[in-house]
Amino acid sequence: MSRTPDLSRRNLVKLLGGAPLFPLAAGASTAMLTACGGGGSSSNDSASKASIKSVTFTGMAAPSLATPANMATTYVDSSMLVTYSDSTTKTYKLGYKTFFITGDKVPDGNGGTLIAGGYYNYQNQPIYDTSVAVATRQFFSDCPDGSTLTTVSNPTVKGVTGNTVFAVVQFEYTTRNQALTSMYGLLPSPIAVLTLDQNKTTGELSLVKYHNVDTSGVKGLWITCGASLSPWGTHLSSEEYEPDAFNQGALGQSLSVLQGFSTNMFGNSTTANPYDYGHLPEVTVNPDGTGTIKKHYCMGRISHELIQVMPDNRTALMGDDATNGGLFMFVADTAKDLSAGTLYVAQYTSLLSSSTTASIKWIKLGSATSAEIKALVDGGIVNTDIMESLTTAPADTTGYTQIVLNKKTLWVKVKTNQDKAAAFLETHRYAAMKGGSLAFTKMEGTTVNIADKKAYSAISAIKDSMVTGKTGNVAGLNVNFTTAINAGGVLEHTLASGQTDTDGHAINSEWVPSTSTFILLGEDLASADALGNLANADKIANPDNLKFSEKLRTLFIGEDSGLHVNNFLWAYNVDTKTLTRILSCPTGAESTGLHASDDINGFAYVLSNFQHPGDWETPLHDVVKANTAVVAAVNENYDNRFGAAVGYLTGLPVSTSLSAK
C-alpha cells in the first residue's frame, strides 16, 4: 500500500486529514463552510451573511538550515485567504498528501501488488536493474511527472466506498540505478492509471488500484514530461527531446540513446525507429481503472513538453523544450479528435524582449492525418529520403536554407515531394527552414486562461538563442534580449479570432495567439547567497509546469531550477499580480506533475509531484550537502534518493454553489 510517513519523526507538514474544502461561491457563507467541514478561523463571525469577494494565497518562507527536516520533504506552510463582501476574511490551512513514493508496493486491484513507477518492456515484463547482482530489483523511476485527474461514467473498480476518481501519472526517466549511473532516456517511460477513492464528506483521495498502461502498441513511450487534461477528459502526454535521425546534435537525443532505449524495450538495439518518438500520446481511462493509449503522428515531431487544448476542442498550443525551439500550434479538423489537422509555427514579426509586446504571424507547415504519417514510418522512410541536413556549407548552396538548431548551424534542403514528411517527421528543421521563430530556450509548460483569452508559456531560461550575440541567436527571428536571465520567465499570449497564416489563408480557430509579452521574470544573483541560491529565492526561477485555475484566477507555477536550492510551487494571481510561494520540494528535487482541477464532485485539487530528491551533484547544493541532518532526512524519506512522491495539495476550495449540492 502507499507509504504514510511518521509525521512527528520526520517533522513533515500536517496533512489536514487530506481534506480539500467544500465549494466557495457568491452567497456562500463562512457558517455554511464551517458546518460542511471547511475548518479555519474567521476574523469576524458576521461573515456568515456575506458573499465572497476574492480568494488569494498567503505565502510561506523558503525552508532553511534552521529547519533541516523542512528542506528534506514536500513542505507546506501556506494558506488560502477568502475575503468577503463585508471585508471580513477566513483562512484555510493548506497541506500535502502523497499517494505513494515511487518504489513502494501498491495495490493492483486484483489482490496483488506492483512497484510504483516500475519499468516494463515490449512484452510487459519488468525490466530489472542488474548493476548489483546480489540485489537485483525492478527498475523504478525517481522522476514522476505529468499528472491529470478525471472521472468517467459508470466506473466498475472494486473497493471504492466513496466516489471513484482516476489519476493518470507518467514517469519521465530515472536518474539512478544501483551503480549510481544515470539512466536518462534509456528506459521506456511508464504511465499508470490510479483509481482513487474520494471521501464524499472530506474529499480526501486514497489509492485503491494502480494499473500500468500497456504501451507496446505504440512501441513504448520516449521521455514523457508534462501532461494536460483534454476538455473531453483524456490524458495528453508528451515525448520530449526527440531522437535526432541525422545524429547531428541538432535535436534532443543522439541515436546512441535511442539504441539503449531499444535494447531495454525490445531486447535489441535496432528495432526502435527515431521517427516513432517525439509525438503526442493520448491516454483514455476505462471504467475498470485500466487505460488505452495511442500516439498522434500529425501534431509535429518536436520536444513535446506540454500541450493545452483550447475550449473549442480543436486548437492545441504546444510547448517545445529545446534550444532554438519554437511556439507550435495544431488545429484539429474535428472537435475532440487530434488524429487529423493542420500544424503551424509562430513567426514573430516584431521584437520580443523583456519589455516589449511582440506580434505573431503563423506559418502553415502542413495538414495531415496521424495514420498517413505513421504509414510513412511503418513503410520504412528514413532521414535521407526526406531531406538533406549538412553541418558544413555545400560548395553550391543553391536550394539550401541555412538554419540554427540547438546552437548548431545546418544547411537543409527538402527532397522532391517530401514536404509533408519533412513537416511532420523533421518538424524542427522544416519549421526553421520555413521561417519560424525557432529562437526560444526551453519553452516548457503551456496553459490557458479562458475568461481572459490568454495563454501562458513557461520559458525556463532566457539565454543562448534568446540573447543578442550569444551562440544560437538569430537576430532576424525577433526574439532578442540584451542580457541573459538564467532564471527565465513566463510569457503571456493574447488569443484572438480572425487570424490568417503567412500565405493569407484564414486559420479556422478563435484561439490563436496574436501577441506575446513577458508577465513574470526571475532574477539572477551576482553571486550565490548564504544557502547557495543563484537566483532570488523570492521570485520564480526556471519555471516549468504551468496550470491555470479559472475559479481561483490563479496561475500555478512549478520550478525545474538549477538556481534554487529548493524548488518551489508558486501561485500567481492574474488580477492582483501577486506571486506567492505555496509549496517547497525536497532539496535537489524538481517540481513536476502540476495539475489543477477546479471541481471534482464538488472539491478542488492541485496535483503536485517532484523528481530526483537529493540531486545535488552541482556546487549549488554544496552548503546543503555539508549538513548531515538534511542528507540523512532526504535519504530516509526517499529510499536513499531512489524514490520520489506523487501526491496533491490539500485545502483548496472551488467556486461552485453550495446550494447546488
Side-chain angles (χ1 to χ4, degrees):
M1 300 296 289
S2 61
R3 179 180 302 170
T4 304
D6 181 336
L7 300 187
S8 59
R9 179 164 57 87
R10 297 187 182 178
N11 196 26
L12 299 181
V13 65
K14 185 178 180 183
L15 301 184
L16 302 178
L21 305 182
F22 273 87
L24 297 177
S29 70
T30 55
M32 293 171 72
L33 286 165
T34 302
C36 290
S41 59
S42 175
S43 60
N44 189 329
D45 287 342
S46 66
S48 61
K49 301 297 183 182
S51 61
I52 289 173
K53 181 179 179 181
S54 65
V55 176
T56 58
F57 289 91
T58 301
M60 52 181 260
S64 70
L65 291 177
T67 54
N70 293 342
M71 296 193 73
T73 190
T74 304
Y75 170 62
V76 181
D77 190 27
S78 53
S79 303
M80 172 170 282
L81 179 67
V82 181
T83 301
Y84 295 89
S85 57
D86 62 358
S87 297
T88 58
T89 62
K90 189 173 180 68
T91 300
Y92 296 91
K93 181 72 173 175
L94 303 183
Y96 184 79
K97 180 184 177 182
T98 59
F99 297 132
F100 53 76
I101 304 298
T102 59
D104 280 352
K105 291 182 178 180
V106 288
D108 66 2
N110 297 309
T113 60
L114 297 172
I115 298 297
Y119 286 90
Y120 297 85
N121 64 17
Y122 185 70
Q123 297 175 313
N124 279 312
Q125 297 299 312
I127 302 174
Y128 288 100
D129 181 357
T130 59
S131 61
V132 181
V134 296
T136 297
R137 66 179 182 183
Q138 184 181 6
F139 273 116
F140 58 87
S141 176
D142 65 339
C143 295
D145 206 305
S147 302
T148 58
L149 204 62
T150 191
T151 59
V152 302
S153 300
N154 304 313
T156 60
V157 182
K158 296 179 181 179
V160 177
T161 59
N163 297 316
T164 302
V165 177
F166 297 104
V168 181
V169 181
Q170 58 200 43
F171 302 88
E172 186 177 4
Y173 58 99
T174 184
T175 64
R176 292 159 61 81
N177 63 14
Q178 295 183 74
L180 307 184
T181 301
S182 174
M183 296 294 292
Y184 187 82
L186 300 180
L187 293 165
S189 294
I191 193 164
V193 176
L194 314 183
T195 301
L196 305 171
D197 188 347
Q198 183 191 50
N199 186 296
K200 293 183 179 180
T201 302
T202 67
E204 180 179 5
L205 300 174
S206 302
L207 180 65
V208 171
K209 176 181 177 179
Y210 179 106
H211 170 77
N212 183 69
V213 176
D214 180 1
T215 65
S216 62
V218 294
K219 303 177 184 178
L221 297 179
W222 172 269
I223 313 178
T224 56
C225 196
S228 64
L229 187 71
S230 72
W232 52 95
T234 57
H235 176 93
L236 301 178
S237 180
S238 56
E239 291 186 314
E240 69 173 358
Y241 305 141
E242 77 276 28
D244 186 354
F246 286 91
N247 211 29
Q248 295 172 329
L251 304 180
Q253 291 295 316
S254 69
L255 293 185
S256 64
V257 176
L258 180 67
Q259 289 162 2
F261 170 96
S262 185
T263 297
N264 284 304
M265 181 65 181
F266 301 107
N268 65 73
S269 63
T270 59
T271 295
N273 182 334
Y275 290 135
D276 278 316
Y277 306 100
H279 301 290
L280 196 288
E282 181 176 15
V283 176
T284 299
V285 176
N286 302 318
D288 64 354
T290 63
T292 56
I293 190 167
K294 57 187 173 183
K295 281 186 189 178
H296 298 294
Y297 283 65
C298 57
M299 299 184 71
R301 187 173 164 271
I302 60 174
S303 188
H304 284 286
E305 169 76 17
L306 191 156
I307 80 162
Q308 176 65 54
V309 177
M310 301 300 165
D312 63 356
N313 293 313
R314 296 175 53 252
T315 306
L317 198 61
M318 296 180 280
D320 181 27
D321 186 0
T323 299
N324 295 105
L327 178 63
F328 290 88
M329 179 177 66
F330 177 79
V331 180
D333 292 344
T334 305
K336 302 182 181 181
D337 181 359
L338 300 177
S339 66
T342 302
L343 180 65
Y344 299 88
V345 66
Q347 181 186 69
Y348 283 87
T349 58
S350 62
L351 178 65
L352 177 65
S353 67
S354 59
S355 58
T356 61
T357 297
S359 298
I360 300 174
K361 294 292 287 184
W362 289 91
I363 299 170
K364 178 181 175 180
L365 300 179
S367 298
T369 68
S370 181
E372 66 180 312
I373 302 304
K374 185 176 184 299
L376 292 176
V377 180
D378 293 344
I381 196 169
V382 297
N383 56 343
T384 52
D385 294 332
I386 300 171
M387 67 192 325
E388 292 182 53
S389 180
L390 308 176
T391 57
T392 57
D396 181 0
T397 59
T398 303
Y400 288 87
T401 302
Q402 182 178 324
I403 64 172
V404 178
L405 293 176
N406 197 26
K407 301 187 287 185
K408 296 180 182 298
T409 301
L410 303 175
W411 286 261
V412 296
K413 180 168 67 173
V414 176
K415 297 290 183 70
T416 303
N417 298 323
Q418 292 297 321
D419 281 85
K420 180 171 288 190
F424 293 96
L425 295 177
E426 287 291 343
T427 307
H428 276 129
R429 287 179 169 88
Y430 190 73
M433 187 188 79
K434 299 293 283 186
S437 291
L438 268 66
F440 291 98
T441 300
K442 294 185 70 62
M443 177 179 284
E444 310 240 13
T446 307
T447 192
V448 64
N449 169 352
I450 297 172
D452 297 340
K453 292 199 77 169
K454 303 286 188 181
Y456 308 98
S457 296
I459 309 299
S460 182
I462 297 168
K463 61 181 183 179
D464 298 331
S465 60
M466 297 182 68
V467 180
T468 300
K470 296 294 185 180
T471 304
N473 178 256
V474 179
L477 298 181
N478 282 326
V479 179
N480 296 307
F481 279 64
T482 57
T483 304
I485 304 175
N486 293 311
V490 175
L491 190 60
E492 180 185 82
H493 312 288
T494 298
L495 307 175
S497 59
Q499 301 296 295
T500 58
D501 64 27
T502 52
D503 292 328
H505 299 131
I507 299 174
N508 187 18
S509 171
E510 297 182 352
W511 298 87
V512 179
S514 60
T515 62
S516 299
T517 189
F518 277 91
I519 58 170
L520 282 172
L521 292 169
E523 180 186 340
D524 299 341
L525 298 179
S527 59
D529 66 16
L531 193 59
N533 290 301
L534 297 171
N536 188 333
D538 292 324
K539 295 184 178 182
I540 60 169
N542 306 128
D544 188 321
N545 287 216
L546 294 182
K547 285 292 185 296
F548 186 76
S549 167
E550 296 286 335
K551 302 296 185 182
L552 302 179
R553 300 284 295 161
T554 296
L555 178 66
F556 293 101
I557 306 167
E559 296 181 337
D560 173 10
S561 181
L563 303 175
H564 281 167
V565 173
N566 287 78
N567 278 211
F568 307 121
L569 177 63
W570 302 87
Y572 177 72
N573 187 293
V574 297
D575 298 318
T576 65
K577 316 300 183 188
T578 301
L579 180 70
T580 307
R581 177 173 31 238
I582 60 174
L583 178 150
S584 175
C585 296
T587 181
E590 169 188 346
S591 176
T592 61
L594 181 60
H595 174 74
S597 291
D598 280 340
D599 189 356
I600 300 286
N601 300 317
F603 298 93
Y605 302 92
V606 171
L607 302 182
S608 182
N609 308 330
F610 65 77
Q611 296 183 350
H612 49 71
D615 182 13
W616 44 41
E617 304 307 317
T618 66
L620 173 72
H621 293 97
D622 282 352
V623 174
V624 172
K625 283 192 297 182
N627 186 289
T628 57
V630 173
V631 173
V634 169
N635 286 334
E636 182 184 2
N637 291 344
Y638 305 113
D639 190 15
N640 291 314
R641 299 189 289 144
F642 278 87
V646 173
Y648 67 102
L649 196 69
T650 64
L652 295 171
V654 291
S655 299
T656 52
S657 173
L658 279 174
S659 61
K661 287 183 67 67

